[in-house]
Amino acid sequence: MFGLGGWEILIIALLVLLLFGGKKIPELMQGLGKGVKSFKDGVNGVENKPTEEVKQETKKEETNA
């Protein structure tokens, strides 16, 4: 993983714990999870929107024909 060994990861984890404290880390992870979920929802919304528009257009064409 990016050329990091076990000791390097442990040191980084300890530094994060010292900087943010034990109570703040779950809040940070919750915010990160919400951000990722929001991003995925946004990407799925962009992907689904064109197909929904195509379906609506085909329905309009069928009713007009």
Side-chain angles (χ1 to χ4, degrees), residues 1-59:
M1 184 170 91
F2 304 113
L4 295 176
W7 285 107
E8 290 87 0
I9 293 173
L10 181 65
I11 291 172
I12 291 171
L14 287 174
L15 286 173
V16 169
L17 184 63
L18 287 173
L19 287 173
F20 295 109
K23 293 182 180 180
K24 195 71 172 172
I25 292 175
E27 293 174 13
L28 292 171
M29 292 299 112
Q30 183 180 15
L32 181 66
K34 286 181 181 179
V36 169
K37 185 179 185 306
S38 173
F39 177 76
K40 285 183 179 180
D41 290 344
V43 169
N44 288 336
V46 169
E47 290 176 357
N48 292 336
K49 188 174 182 178
T51 57
E52 290 173 4
E53 289 175 358
V54 170
K55 288 179 183 177
Q56 290 175 355
E57 288 178 8
T58 55
K59 286 181 182 178

